[in-house]
Amino acid sequence: MTKKSFRIAVLPGDGIGPEVTEAALQVLEEVSSRFDLEVETRSHPIGWAGVQEAEHPLPAVTRRAVEEVDAVFLGAVGDPRGDDLPPELRPEAGLLELRKTLDCFANLRPARAIPALEEASPLRPERVRGMDFVIVRELSSGLYYGEPRLLDRSGEESFAVNTMRYTEGEIRRVARVGFDTARRRSGRVVSVDKANVLETSRLWREVVSEIAEEYPDVELDHMLVDRAAMELVLQPTEFDVILTENLFGDVLSDEAAALTGSIGLLASASLGQRAGIFEPVHGSAPDLAGRGIANPLAAILSMALLLEHGAKHPEAAAAIEGAVENVLAAGVRSPELARAGERASGTREIADEVTRALEIP
Ligand code: IPM
Ligand code: MN
Protein backbone atom coordinates (compact mmCIF):
# COMPACT_ATOMS: atom_id res chain seq x y z
CA MET A 1 0.00 0.00 0.00
CA THR A 2 1.36 3.43 -0.82
CA LYS A 3 1.61 5.88 2.00
CA LYS A 4 -0.84 8.76 1.73
CA SER A 5 1.14 11.95 1.38
CA PHE A 6 0.56 15.02 3.52
CA ARG A 7 -0.62 17.82 1.24
CA ILE A 8 0.45 21.40 1.86
CA ALA A 9 -0.83 24.46 0.01
CA VAL A 10 2.03 26.94 -0.06
CA LEU A 11 1.07 30.60 -0.31
CA PRO A 12 4.29 32.65 -0.53
CA GLY A 13 2.42 35.96 -0.84
CA ASP A 14 4.11 39.33 -0.87
CA GLY A 15 7.25 41.22 0.09
CA ILE A 16 9.70 38.94 1.87
CA GLY A 17 7.04 36.18 1.90
CA PRO A 18 8.45 34.27 -1.11
CA GLU A 19 12.04 34.40 0.20
CA VAL A 20 11.27 33.12 3.68
CA THR A 21 8.89 30.52 2.24
CA GLU A 22 11.64 29.16 0.01
CA ALA A 23 13.87 28.84 3.07
CA ALA A 24 11.16 27.01 5.02
CA LEU A 25 10.53 24.63 2.11
CA GLN A 26 14.22 23.81 1.91
CA VAL A 27 14.15 22.86 5.58
CA LEU A 28 10.95 20.87 5.07
CA GLU A 29 12.59 18.88 2.30
CA GLU A 30 15.51 17.98 4.53
CA VAL A 31 13.35 17.06 7.49
CA SER A 32 10.93 14.99 5.43
CA SER A 33 13.70 12.93 3.95
CA ARG A 34 15.21 12.43 7.39
CA PHE A 35 11.91 11.33 8.96
CA ASP A 36 10.64 9.55 5.86
CA LEU A 37 7.64 11.85 5.52
CA GLU A 38 5.70 11.90 2.28
CA VAL A 39 4.89 15.55 1.63
CA GLU A 40 3.30 17.16 -1.40
CA THR A 41 3.53 20.93 -1.81
CA ARG A 42 1.86 23.20 -4.32
CA SER A 43 2.10 27.00 -4.52
CA HIS A 44 -0.74 29.43 -5.08
CA PRO A 45 -1.06 33.22 -5.07
CA ILE A 46 -2.48 35.30 -2.24
CA GLY A 47 -2.48 38.98 -1.29
CA TRP A 48 -0.97 41.44 -3.71
CA ALA A 49 0.38 38.50 -5.71
CA GLY A 50 -3.24 37.32 -6.05
CA VAL A 51 -4.38 40.76 -7.14
CA GLN A 52 -1.71 40.82 -9.82
CA GLU A 53 -2.30 37.31 -11.09
CA ALA A 54 -6.05 37.02 -10.77
CA GLU A 55 -7.37 40.39 -9.68
CA HIS A 56 -8.31 39.10 -6.25
CA PRO A 57 -6.33 38.81 -2.97
CA LEU A 58 -7.69 35.27 -2.51
CA PRO A 59 -8.09 33.98 -6.07
CA ALA A 60 -10.58 31.18 -6.73
CA VAL A 61 -7.77 28.68 -7.49
CA THR A 62 -6.21 29.39 -4.12
CA ARG A 63 -9.50 29.16 -2.29
CA ARG A 64 -10.25 25.80 -3.89
CA ALA A 65 -6.76 24.52 -3.20
CA VAL A 66 -6.78 25.34 0.51
CA GLU A 67 -10.06 23.47 0.95
CA GLU A 68 -8.46 20.29 -0.36
CA VAL A 69 -5.20 20.14 1.54
CA ASP A 70 -4.07 19.02 4.99
CA ALA A 71 -2.29 22.26 5.89
CA VAL A 72 -1.56 25.73 4.55
CA PHE A 73 1.85 27.38 4.77
CA LEU A 74 1.81 31.14 4.28
CA GLY A 75 4.71 33.56 3.81
CA ALA A 76 3.35 37.08 4.26
CA VAL A 77 0.66 39.29 2.83
CA GLY A 78 0.70 43.04 2.16
CA ASP A 79 2.04 45.53 -0.35
CA PRO A 80 1.83 49.32 -0.28
CA ARG A 81 0.74 49.25 -3.93
CA GLY A 82 -2.52 47.74 -2.68
CA ASP A 83 -3.25 50.56 -0.24
CA ASP A 84 -5.63 52.42 -2.50
CA LEU A 85 -7.68 49.42 -3.56
CA PRO A 86 -11.22 49.07 -2.21
CA PRO A 87 -11.13 47.34 1.20
CA GLU A 88 -12.28 43.95 -0.08
CA LEU A 89 -9.48 43.86 -2.66
CA ARG A 90 -6.64 44.89 -0.39
CA PRO A 91 -3.96 42.21 0.05
CA GLU A 92 -4.80 41.82 3.77
CA ALA A 93 -8.42 41.04 2.88
CA GLY A 94 -7.14 37.86 1.22
CA LEU A 95 -5.59 36.70 4.48
CA LEU A 96 -8.73 37.47 6.48
CA GLU A 97 -10.83 35.60 3.93
CA LEU A 98 -8.44 32.66 4.05
CA ARG A 99 -8.73 32.46 7.85
CA LYS A 100 -12.52 32.65 7.53
CA THR A 101 -12.69 30.06 4.74
CA LEU A 102 -10.86 27.51 6.88
CA ASP A 103 -12.55 28.73 10.07
CA CYS A 104 -9.19 29.00 11.79
CA PHE A 105 -10.41 30.49 15.04
CA ALA A 106 -7.46 29.84 17.35
CA ASN A 107 -4.12 31.42 16.65
CA LEU A 108 -1.17 30.14 18.68
CA ARG A 109 1.87 32.38 18.90
CA PRO A 110 4.65 30.95 21.08
CA ALA A 111 7.18 33.45 22.42
CA ARG A 112 10.34 32.18 24.06
CA ALA A 113 13.56 33.82 25.10
CA ILE A 114 16.38 32.07 23.26
CA PRO A 115 19.47 31.92 25.49
CA ALA A 116 21.85 32.83 22.66
CA LEU A 117 19.81 35.96 21.94
CA GLU A 118 19.44 37.36 25.43
CA GLU A 119 21.50 40.36 24.44
CA ALA A 120 19.21 41.12 21.50
CA SER A 121 16.17 41.67 23.69
CA PRO A 122 15.31 45.29 24.45
CA LEU A 123 14.89 44.15 28.07
CA ARG A 124 17.71 43.47 30.48
CA PRO A 125 18.83 39.82 30.19
CA GLU A 126 17.71 38.95 33.72
CA ARG A 127 14.23 40.20 32.96
CA VAL A 128 13.73 38.19 29.80
CA ARG A 129 15.65 35.07 30.86
CA GLY A 130 13.31 32.08 31.00
CA MET A 131 10.46 33.86 29.23
CA ASP A 132 8.28 31.18 27.66
CA PHE A 133 4.62 31.76 26.92
CA VAL A 134 2.02 31.25 24.19
CA ILE A 135 -0.52 33.79 23.05
CA VAL A 136 -3.79 32.13 22.08
CA ARG A 137 -5.50 34.74 19.96
CA GLU A 138 -9.11 34.48 18.78
CA LEU A 139 -8.82 34.80 15.01
CA SER A 140 -12.22 34.56 13.38
CA SER A 141 -14.34 37.26 14.97
CA GLY A 142 -14.28 40.54 16.88
CA LEU A 143 -13.46 43.88 15.26
CA TYR A 144 -11.85 42.22 12.26
CA TYR A 145 -15.14 40.78 11.03
CA GLY A 146 -17.99 42.48 12.92
CA GLU A 147 -20.81 44.13 10.98
CA PRO A 148 -21.69 46.88 10.43
CA ARG A 149 -18.41 48.25 9.24
CA LEU A 150 -18.16 51.33 7.09
CA LEU A 151 -16.35 54.52 6.23
CA ASP A 152 -18.84 57.20 5.26
CA ARG A 153 -17.48 60.28 3.49
CA SER A 154 -20.78 61.50 2.11
CA GLY A 155 -21.64 64.10 4.75
CA GLU A 156 -19.99 67.23 6.01
CA GLU A 157 -18.04 65.21 8.51
CA SER A 158 -16.81 61.76 7.54
CA PHE A 159 -17.27 58.97 10.01
CA ALA A 160 -16.34 55.33 10.32
CA VAL A 161 -17.74 52.35 12.20
CA ASN A 162 -16.34 48.99 13.20
CA THR A 163 -18.13 46.49 15.36
CA MET A 164 -16.67 44.29 18.04
CA ARG A 165 -19.02 41.35 18.31
CA TYR A 166 -18.54 38.02 20.05
CA THR A 167 -20.93 35.17 20.61
CA GLU A 168 -20.68 32.83 23.58
CA GLY A 169 -19.85 29.96 21.24
CA GLU A 170 -16.95 31.84 19.67
CA ILE A 171 -15.49 32.59 23.08
CA ARG A 172 -16.08 29.09 24.36
CA ARG A 173 -14.24 27.31 21.56
CA VAL A 174 -11.13 29.46 21.69
CA ALA A 175 -11.13 29.37 25.50
CA ARG A 176 -10.94 25.57 25.34
CA VAL A 177 -7.90 25.81 23.08
CA GLY A 178 -6.34 28.15 25.64
CA PHE A 179 -6.97 25.79 28.54
CA ASP A 180 -5.88 22.71 26.56
CA THR A 181 -2.67 24.53 25.64
CA ALA A 182 -2.05 25.43 29.29
CA ARG A 183 -2.57 21.80 30.27
CA ARG A 184 0.31 20.76 28.04
CA ARG A 185 2.47 23.49 29.62
CA SER A 186 2.67 25.00 33.11
CA GLY A 187 -1.10 25.05 33.59
CA ARG A 188 -1.71 28.79 33.89
CA VAL A 189 -4.01 30.94 31.77
CA VAL A 190 -4.20 34.72 31.87
CA SER A 191 -7.31 35.84 30.02
CA VAL A 192 -6.86 39.37 28.70
CA ASP A 193 -9.80 41.70 28.12
CA LYS A 194 -11.09 45.22 28.70
CA ALA A 195 -13.99 44.27 30.95
CA ASN A 196 -13.96 47.65 32.71
CA VAL A 197 -15.21 49.27 29.49
CA LEU A 198 -16.43 46.76 26.89
CA GLU A 199 -19.53 44.54 26.92
CA THR A 200 -17.77 42.02 24.65
CA SER A 201 -15.08 41.76 27.30
CA ARG A 202 -17.60 41.25 30.08
CA LEU A 203 -19.11 38.35 28.16
CA TRP A 204 -15.60 37.11 27.39
CA ARG A 205 -14.71 37.08 31.09
CA GLU A 206 -17.94 35.33 32.03
CA VAL A 207 -17.61 32.58 29.42
CA VAL A 208 -13.89 32.01 30.04
CA SER A 209 -14.63 31.64 33.78
CA GLU A 210 -17.32 29.07 32.97
CA ILE A 211 -14.97 27.03 30.80
CA ALA A 212 -12.34 27.21 33.55
CA GLU A 213 -14.60 25.00 35.66
CA GLU A 214 -14.00 22.18 33.17
CA TYR A 215 -10.27 22.58 33.87
CA PRO A 216 -9.84 22.47 37.65
CA ASP A 217 -6.15 21.66 37.14
CA VAL A 218 -5.54 24.92 35.26
CA GLU A 219 -5.17 28.23 37.07
CA LEU A 220 -7.05 31.19 35.59
CA ASP A 221 -6.45 34.90 36.07
CA HIS A 222 -8.12 37.79 34.31
CA MET A 223 -6.15 40.86 33.32
CA LEU A 224 -7.09 44.10 31.59
CA VAL A 225 -5.31 44.57 28.29
CA ASP A 226 -3.53 47.80 29.25
CA ARG A 227 -2.12 46.16 32.33
CA ALA A 228 -1.15 43.10 30.28
CA ALA A 229 0.80 45.28 27.85
CA MET A 230 2.68 46.66 30.85
CA GLU A 231 3.28 43.32 32.57
CA LEU A 232 4.69 41.90 29.35
CA VAL A 233 7.48 44.43 29.59
CA LEU A 234 7.89 44.30 33.38
CA GLN A 235 7.57 40.57 34.08
CA PRO A 236 7.32 38.58 30.85
CA THR A 237 8.45 35.41 32.62
CA GLU A 238 5.23 35.37 34.66
CA PHE A 239 3.06 34.36 31.70
CA ASP A 240 2.31 30.83 30.50
CA VAL A 241 -0.78 31.11 28.26
CA ILE A 242 -2.29 34.46 27.31
CA LEU A 243 -5.83 33.98 26.04
CA THR A 244 -7.33 36.96 24.27
CA GLU A 245 -9.59 38.29 21.53
CA ASN A 246 -8.52 39.10 17.99
CA LEU A 247 -7.29 42.70 18.08
CA PHE A 248 -5.76 42.56 21.55
CA GLY A 249 -3.91 39.42 20.46
CA ASP A 250 -2.65 41.11 17.33
CA VAL A 251 -1.18 43.98 19.33
CA LEU A 252 0.24 41.92 22.19
CA SER A 253 1.87 39.42 19.86
CA ASP A 254 4.01 42.06 18.17
CA GLU A 255 5.04 43.23 21.63
CA ALA A 256 5.89 39.63 22.55
CA ALA A 257 7.90 39.25 19.35
CA ALA A 258 9.94 42.34 20.15
CA LEU A 259 10.79 40.94 23.59
CA THR A 260 12.48 37.89 22.04
CA GLY A 261 14.86 40.24 20.25
CA SER A 262 13.36 40.24 16.78
CA ILE A 263 9.99 39.97 15.13
CA GLY A 264 11.80 37.72 12.67
CA LEU A 265 11.65 34.85 15.16
CA LEU A 266 7.97 34.49 16.01
CA ALA A 267 5.99 31.68 14.39
CA SER A 268 2.28 31.00 14.45
CA ALA A 269 -0.29 28.27 13.98
CA SER A 270 -3.93 29.05 13.20
CA LEU A 271 -6.17 26.14 13.99
CA GLY A 272 -9.80 25.20 13.48
CA GLN A 273 -11.72 22.10 12.44
CA ARG A 274 -10.13 21.99 8.99
CA ALA A 275 -6.63 22.57 7.62
CA GLY A 276 -4.51 24.84 9.80
CA ILE A 277 -2.61 27.88 8.54
CA PHE A 278 1.04 28.21 9.54
CA GLU A 279 2.71 31.56 9.08
CA PRO A 280 5.41 33.79 10.53
CA VAL A 281 4.06 36.65 12.65
CA HIS A 282 6.18 39.27 10.86
CA GLY A 283 4.58 40.91 7.88
CA SER A 284 5.69 41.31 4.28
CA ALA A 285 8.32 43.99 5.10
CA PRO A 286 8.31 45.49 1.59
CA ASP A 287 11.44 47.53 2.35
CA LEU A 288 13.44 44.31 2.84
CA ALA A 289 11.91 42.37 -0.05
CA GLY A 290 14.14 40.96 -2.77
CA ARG A 291 17.36 41.79 -0.96
CA GLY A 292 18.05 38.35 0.47
CA ILE A 293 18.39 39.73 3.99
CA ALA A 294 15.08 38.71 5.56
CA ASN A 295 15.30 36.47 8.61
CA PRO A 296 13.75 33.11 7.61
CA LEU A 297 13.68 31.68 11.14
CA ALA A 298 10.07 32.64 11.90
CA ALA A 299 9.01 30.90 8.68
CA ILE A 300 11.19 27.88 9.46
CA LEU A 301 9.72 27.70 12.96
CA SER A 302 6.23 28.00 11.46
CA MET A 303 7.07 24.94 9.38
CA ALA A 304 7.91 23.20 12.66
CA LEU A 305 4.46 24.15 13.99
CA LEU A 306 2.93 22.76 10.79
CA LEU A 307 4.67 19.45 11.38
CA GLU A 308 3.62 19.41 15.03
CA HIS A 309 -0.04 20.49 14.79
CA GLY A 310 -0.79 19.72 11.14
CA ALA A 311 1.17 16.56 10.33
CA LYS A 312 1.14 15.42 13.97
CA HIS A 313 4.85 14.70 13.82
CA PRO A 314 6.28 16.23 16.99
CA GLU A 315 9.71 14.64 16.48
CA ALA A 316 10.18 16.33 13.12
CA ALA A 317 9.03 19.62 14.65
CA ALA A 318 11.43 19.25 17.56
CA ALA A 319 14.28 18.49 15.16
CA ILE A 320 13.71 21.80 13.38
CA GLU A 321 13.42 23.72 16.63
CA GLY A 322 16.63 22.11 17.89
CA ALA A 323 18.45 22.92 14.65
CA VAL A 324 17.37 26.57 14.88
CA GLU A 325 18.62 26.80 18.45
CA ASN A 326 21.93 25.22 17.52
CA VAL A 327 22.43 27.58 14.62
CA LEU A 328 21.76 30.59 16.85
CA ALA A 329 23.99 29.20 19.58
CA ALA A 330 26.74 28.81 16.97
CA GLY A 331 26.49 32.55 16.35
CA VAL A 332 24.62 32.70 13.06
CA ARG A 333 22.80 36.04 12.94
CA SER A 334 20.38 37.59 10.50
CA PRO A 335 21.12 41.28 9.80
CA GLU A 336 18.54 42.65 12.26
CA LEU A 337 20.04 40.52 15.04
CA ALA A 338 23.72 41.07 14.32
CA ARG A 339 25.34 43.57 16.63
CA ALA A 340 28.23 45.85 15.76
CA GLY A 341 31.19 43.76 14.70
CA GLU A 342 29.15 40.56 14.22
CA ARG A 343 28.88 38.97 10.81
CA ALA A 344 25.36 38.90 9.38
CA SER A 345 24.00 36.04 7.30
CA GLY A 346 21.43 36.35 4.55
CA THR A 347 18.20 34.40 4.10
CA ARG A 348 19.71 31.59 2.01
CA GLU A 349 22.75 31.17 4.21
CA ILE A 350 20.59 30.82 7.31
CA ALA A 351 18.40 28.25 5.56
CA ASP A 352 21.56 26.33 4.59
CA GLU A 353 22.85 26.45 8.17
CA VAL A 354 19.57 25.11 9.56
CA THR A 355 19.49 22.40 6.89
CA ARG A 356 23.04 21.41 7.77
CA ALA A 357 22.25 21.38 11.48
CA LEU A 358 19.42 18.98 10.72
CA GLU A 359 21.76 16.55 8.99
CA ILE A 360 23.69 16.05 12.19
CA PRO A 361 21.67 13.47 14.09
C1 IPM B 1 -1.03 39.33 11.84
C2 IPM B 1 -1.13 40.46 10.85
C3 IPM B 1 -2.53 40.44 10.23
C4 IPM B 1 -3.52 40.60 11.37
C5 IPM B 1 -2.74 41.49 9.13
C6 IPM B 1 -1.72 41.36 8.03
C7 IPM B 1 -4.13 41.46 8.58
O1 IPM B 1 -0.84 41.66 11.46
O2 IPM B 1 -1.20 38.16 11.42
O3 IPM B 1 -0.77 39.59 13.01
O4 IPM B 1 -3.78 41.73 11.81
O5 IPM B 1 -4.06 39.60 11.81
MN1 MN C 1 -0.15 41.47 13.53
Side-chain angles (χ1 to χ4, degrees), residues 99 107 109 137 144 246-247 249-254 263 281-283:
R99 290 171 176 169
N107 180 223
R109 300 187 159 183
R137 167 188 176 194
Y144 277 59
N246 205 342
L247 183 67
D250 179 46
V251 175
L252 294 181
S253 59
D254 271 28
I263 191 163
V281 170
H282 63 66

Side-chain angles (χ1 to χ4, degrees), residues 155 159 191 193 208 231 284 307:
F159 70 97
S191 173
D193 62 39
V208 169
E231 293 298 339
S284 56
L307 290 166

Side-chain angles (χ1 to χ4, degrees), residues 193-276:
D193 62 39
K194 188 70 183 169
N196 54 347
V197 178
L198 303 176
E199 282 72 14
T200 39
S201 282
R202 284 212 276 281
L203 182 65
W204 180 278
R205 208 172 259 224
E206 203 179 292
V207 174
V208 169
S209 301
E210 259 168 50
I211 298 297
E213 290 172 20
E214 298 170 18
Y215 297 82
D217 51 320
V218 176
E219 187 189 312
L220 169 67
D221 280 310
H222 299 280
M223 196 182 280
L224 298 173
V225 62
D226 45 357
R227 161 102 190 277
M230 181 177 78
E231 293 298 339
L232 270 177
V233 176
L234 294 178
Q235 309 193 63
T237 53
E238 288 300 301
F239 292 100
D240 181 24
V241 172
I242 296 177
L243 169 66
T244 192
E245 67 86 42
N246 205 342
L247 183 67
F248 298 161
D250 179 46
V251 175
L252 294 181
S253 59
D254 271 28
E255 188 184 353
L259 297 179
T260 65
S262 163
I263 191 163
L265 294 170
L266 219 67
S268 88
S270 305
L271 310 173
Q273 299 301 327
R274 313 168 66 181

Side-chain angles (χ1 to χ4, degrees), residues 80-96:
R81 286 169 289 183
D83 283 354
D84 296 327
L85 290 169
E88 66 282 5
L89 288 181
R90 286 179 54 120
E92 289 81 1
L95 176 58
L96 299 190

Side-chain angles (χ1 to χ4, degrees), residues 65-80:
V66 299
E67 299 203 72
E68 283 166 8
V69 292
D70 302 306
V72 177
F73 183 89
L74 184 117
V77 161
D79 189 296

